[in-house]
Amino acid sequence: QRFAELQPEDRRRAFLEMVAGISQAAVATSDLTTEYTVYPGIERYSVHAPRYAVRDGDYLYVSLPGASVSVPGVVGDTRVNPVYWSLEDRATTVITLQLPPAFTNVQIAPAAIAWRAPAGGRVTFSTTHTNNVLTFVRRITMRPTVLDSHIYPELLEMNRTLSHPATRTVLVTRDQ
């Protein structure tokens, strides 16, 4: 409903903020399309961010856009009370990086993750490298539930894994 109720100018500004959240140099390559006839709603857009990577000699570093993924309700090292997940959350993020022709050796990329969350939720990360294009797909499905505190150590460990810099860091080297 956020975009359905906005005035056109406010919607345009919100979209520009989303694009700038990826990179200050990013340029939208598509319009924002929204579909709210399904639940949860779908927001789609694409951007082009030139020179997004940092080059250091024969190395190219990239930090994937988007905030770290975290497990809801994980705020400390221990928990006595149950954890309450109030909202259903479904999100798919696809990030495609076109590598420069001379840089094809992927040294570091996010590892695949497949976590079956409590109450039927799921978190998956995957990385593919084909024809000098790196594609990262993050899929998250969380369902409302109340979790006993004894499951908290598992949630804490998965939260550490999902929010670790390794889930968003890419290092590519120049071909020799």
Side-chain angles (χ1 to χ4, degrees), residues 14-173:
F15 176 50
L16 291 176
E17 287 176 11
M18 291 165 50
V19 170
I22 293 172
S23 169
Q24 291 296 311
V27 176
T29 57
S30 72
D31 290 330
L32 173 65
T33 58
T34 55
E35 184 180 338
Y36 297 116
T37 57
V38 296
Y39 180 81
I42 298 171
E43 299 171 1
R44 284 191 185 99
Y45 64 97
S46 62
V47 301
H48 175 71
R51 302 186 186 274
Y52 191 76
V54 175
R55 183 174 172 194
D56 183 12
D58 290 340
Y59 299 94
L60 206 58
Y61 300 90
V62 176
S63 183
L64 298 176
S68 296
V69 177
S70 62
V71 177
V74 176
V75 292
D77 289 340
T78 60
R79 180 129 184 157
V80 176
N81 297 322
V83 176
Y84 175 54
W85 292 347
S86 61
L87 299 174
E88 183 166 341
D89 185 14
R90 280 191 271 170
T92 300
T93 304
V94 179
I95 301 168
T96 304
L97 296 177
Q98 175 70 49
L99 300 174
F103 289 84
T104 60
N105 299 319
V106 179
Q107 301 296 316
I108 299 173
I113 295 175
W115 178 53
R116 185 165 286 296
R122 202 163 163 76
V123 174
T124 60
F125 287 12
S126 65
T127 302
T128 58
H129 181 202
T130 309
N131 297 330
N132 230 26
V133 174
L134 281 172
T135 304
F136 307 92
V137 180
R138 298 176 183 156
R139 286 191 173 86
I140 299 167
T141 303
M142 299 295 219
R143 294 200 167 87
T145 190
V146 176
L147 304 169
D148 289 334
S149 60
H150 74 276
I151 200 167
Y152 193 75
E154 177 190 345
L155 300 178
L156 181 63
E157 187 57 35
M158 185 47 59
N159 191 61
R160 287 180 178 148
T161 299
L162 295 175
S163 61
H164 194 276
T167 63
R168 60 187 180 276
T169 303
V170 177
L171 171 65
V172 182
T173 59

